Amino acid sequence: MRKYSWRRRGIGLALAAVVAVLLFTPLGDRPLSTLLPVGPVAPVDFTRLQPKGSPNRYLVCPPDYCSATPDAFSPVFDMPPGLLRQEWEAMLSTRPRVELLAESADGLQFDYVQRTARFRFPDIVTVRFLPVAPAQSTLAIYSRSVYGRSDLGANRTRVDVWLGALQQQLPRAEGG
């Protein structure tokens, strides 16, 4: 009876160690990412977008651009869309666990995945860079969770933090 108890404890400790490795070390990134795949990402047409009704999404658009009512309006930047895209990419390079999934043929729309730190849940972020005037541009951003119904505000926080970081990097940005 006592040997069985030690064997059972040993198995329990081994399972706990595996779970700890998966959740708390970089070694867990690949297995958890494999268990939680992104799946196919449908192209987003912001002018026809109808977001799902769940709270695990966040939409930022310039006025009168998106068919859906945005959660917030986009800022306007004093630079052409190509330069704004370069600055965006520079800002994203400082963000953890972000991976480019797709780029549109015109080079102005991108799909990214960012995974949560602990459990590696994937969220999809689509960004489109838009001209406003010859030397001004803005962007549309749609961030949404792949799994679950509630994200506890993670998509809104992500977009707000990313836009804030971009605006800090570009003192010429104007509020939208």
Side-chain angles (χ1 to χ4, degrees):
M1 190 71 129
R2 196 165 181 91
K3 284 184 181 181
Y4 177 74
S5 173
W6 281 105
R7 189 178 310 160
R8 193 167 150 186
R9 263 191 210 150
I11 291 171
L13 288 172
L15 285 174
V18 167
V19 168
V21 165
L22 289 176
L23 295 180
F24 300 107
T25 71
L27 294 175
D29 185 41
R30 188 174 181 142
L32 288 174
S33 296
T34 302
L35 289 173
L36 299 166
V38 173
V41 178
V44 172
D45 179 351
F46 285 95
T47 63
R48 295 179 185 193
L49 178 64
Q50 294 300 319
K52 56 185 178 177
S54 63
N56 62 351
R57 55 142 195 94
Y58 192 68
L59 177 65
V60 175
C61 282
D64 302 322
Y65 180 72
C66 292
S67 59
T69 302
D71 298 300
F73 290 114
S74 307
V76 174
F77 298 89
D78 291 330
M79 62 186 61
L83 184 55
L84 179 58
R85 188 192 87 218
Q86 290 174 3
E87 295 292 341
W88 176 266
E89 289 171 355
M91 178 277 301
L92 269 191
S93 71
T94 67
R95 303 291 138 191
R97 300 171 311 283
V98 176
E99 179 185 338
L100 178 66
L101 295 175
E103 178 179 345
S104 64
D106 65 3
L108 294 175
Q109 186 161 313
F110 300 84
D111 292 315
Y112 302 94
V113 62
Q114 184 178 41
R115 291 184 174 272
T116 60
R118 179 103 37 215
F119 295 106
R120 304 301 193 263
F121 287 111
D123 290 343
I124 306 299
V125 183
T126 301
V127 180
R128 179 147 192 94
F129 299 93
L130 303 160
V132 174
Q136 287 188 318
S137 59
T138 188
L139 38 76
I141 306 171
Y142 183 43
S143 182
R144 65 259 186 218
S145 300
V146 174
Y147 297 101
R149 177 161 168 76
S150 176
D151 67 349
L152 304 174
N155 285 292
R156 178 185 186 143
T157 299
R158 172 185 304 107
V159 172
D160 289 347
V161 166
W162 287 7
L163 283 173
L166 182 64
Q167 288 175 314
Q168 283 183 350
Q169 164 180 316
L170 303 171
R172 299 165 287 174
E174 302 172 8

